[in-house]
Each structure stands twice: as C-alpha cells, then as structure tokens.
C-alpha cells in the first residue's frame, strides 16, 4: 500500500507521516521524505540566480525533485514492507511500477499559517534571514504553490486539516482508508470534534 501526503510548505506533512507509520494497523510501514530527493547540483532541476547572483534550486517546482529516484525507492520499499508513506510538496507525483493500493492525502492549511510555521522553523529556530524568506515567498513560493501544489488537491482521495494534531490526523486517514476497505482489521477510532 502507498500513502502519500502532499501539501504546501509548512502545511504539516513530515510529523503526520511519522504518526501514520506509527499508527499503521497491524502492519509495518516505511516513510520516504520528498525533501531528500531534490537535485543537489545544477544540470538537473530548475535553478535561478538569487539576489547575489548565486544559483539556487527552485524547490517549489516539481522538476527540481528527482521523482524517478523517489519512485524507484518507493518500489524498493514496497517490496520490503506492507505500507510505504511518502510525504512532500509533490508526493502525489510518485509513480511506482509496483502494483499497489494507493491513497493520496492533501494536507491543507491556510497560507498565512503555513508562512508562520516556515518563519518559526527556518528563521526563529534555524537562523535563516527573515527578509530573504519573505522575499522568496512573495516573489516565488506563493505563485509556485498556486501553480504546482494547489492543483494536486483535486487528484487526492482525501483533504485533511493540517492544523490537527498529528495523531488525530493519522487516525482520520487510517479510518478513511478502512471505510474504503483498503486496510484489514477493525476501523481505528476517530477523535470527536465536539470534544475540547
């Protein structure tokens, strides 16, 4: 079985991917991260000069990710474990050759919250310059999201709220797959939205 988590930068895909793997009902799972598959050097992918003239990879363009290698690694993982979870901006584009059940999830979060998460993670935690992040967002990443990521929403089997706690999100995804008879065993419980 292949489960993909697609969504914008900062929507919350990596932590829910780990939660999905941990909550896999009576099955072992492996997680592959799309962020590990960007082309490392010019010659492949989409590169453009930054304000200083240094070439930078456009990580908001799917052509900058080695989707062939990611799909090959997905095939390898599918031969080893019953469930493979792929998370990333373009996870929906993964196309393994191995016949398998597939369930694609779009992790949705409003743009302002995604940007706030990026600022918290990259700038406040990792020390990335805030002005560079904001300029990149306004000049490139916002448009790239609208062109390359948002259209994937309609190709996914389920849209989830990226503001949910990762464990709740994982239970909702496994429950939705169980409702479609995609996983064996009893249906996992879903948190009650009415409870505080």
């Amino acid at each position: 079985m292949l489960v993909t988590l697609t969504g914008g930068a900062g929507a919350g895909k990596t932590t829910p991917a780990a939660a999905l793997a941990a909550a896999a009902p009576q099955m072992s799972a492996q997680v592959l991260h799309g962020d590990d598959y960007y082309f490392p050097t010019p010659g492949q992918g989409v590169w453009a000069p930054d304000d200083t003239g240094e070439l930078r990879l456009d990580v908001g363009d799917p052509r900058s990710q080695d989707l062939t290698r990611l799909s090959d690694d997905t095939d390898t993982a599918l031969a080893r474990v019953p469930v493979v979870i792929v998370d990333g901006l373009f996870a929906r584009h993964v196309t393994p050759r191995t016949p398998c059940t597939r369930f694609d999830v779009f992790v949705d979060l409003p743009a302002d919250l995604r940007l706030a998460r990026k600022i918290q993670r990259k700038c406040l935690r990792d020390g990335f310059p805030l002005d560079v992040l904001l300029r990149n967002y306004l000049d490139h990443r916002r448009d790239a999201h609208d062109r390359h990521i948002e259209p994937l929403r309609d190709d996914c089997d389920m849209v989830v709220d990226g503001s949910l706690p990762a464990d709740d999100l994982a239970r909702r995804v496994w429950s939705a797959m169980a409702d479609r008879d995609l996983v064996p065993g009893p249906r996992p419980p879903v948190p009650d939205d009415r409870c505080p």
Side-chain angles (χ1 to χ4, degrees):
M1 170 185 292
L2 172 63
V3 182
T4 69
L5 294 175
T6 298
K13 299 174 294 294
T14 302
T15 302
L20 271 171
Q26 304 169 352
M27 295 179 279
S28 58
Q30 179 177 345
V31 178
L32 298 174
H33 303 291
D35 285 354
D36 296 335
Y37 291 85
Y38 284 105
F39 290 113
T41 55
Q44 292 180 298
V46 178
W47 296 76
D50 64 12
D51 293 347
T52 67
E54 185 175 345
L55 282 180
R56 299 278 181 192
L57 182 67
D58 181 356
V59 297
D61 190 308
R63 297 172 295 172
S64 294
Q65 201 167 63
D66 191 345
L67 291 167
T68 300
R69 184 168 64 91
L70 178 53
S71 294
D72 289 345
D73 285 357
T74 302
D75 276 315
T76 300
L78 284 166
R80 287 196 307 255
V81 295
V83 180
V84 176
I85 299 162
V86 179
D87 77 85
L89 297 178
F90 311 111
R92 177 63 185 83
H93 289 305
V94 172
T95 53
R97 293 180 305 277
T98 304
C100 63
T101 301
R102 180 179 184 133
F103 193 77
D104 297 300
V105 178
F106 189 89
V107 182
D108 187 36
L109 194 69
D112 61 336
L113 297 179
R114 286 188 280 109
L115 180 59
R117 284 182 175 181
K118 291 285 288 182
I119 290 169
Q120 286 176 326
R121 185 173 65 227
K122 288 197 71 153
C123 302
L124 300 180
R125 187 190 72 196
D126 298 339
F128 190 82
L130 177 60
D131 61 327
V132 174
L133 183 140
L134 292 175
R135 186 168 57 248
N136 184 40
Y137 174 78
L138 294 172
D139 293 347
H140 305 292
R141 296 303 294 272
R142 183 173 51 174
D143 179 58
H145 177 88
D146 291 342
R147 280 185 291 126
H148 300 301
I149 298 168
E150 195 59 35
L152 298 174
R153 172 193 300 269
D154 294 335
D155 294 332
C156 289
D157 299 297
M158 179 180 193
V159 177
V160 295
D161 180 352
S163 69
L164 290 173
D167 291 339
D168 289 352
L169 191 148
R171 283 192 291 272
R172 290 171 192 273
V173 171
W174 282 115
S175 180
M177 288 190 285
D179 285 348
R180 296 182 189 196
D181 294 323
L182 300 179
V183 293
R187 184 173 176 242
V190 176
D192 187 344
D193 288 333
R194 296 169 297 180
C195 297

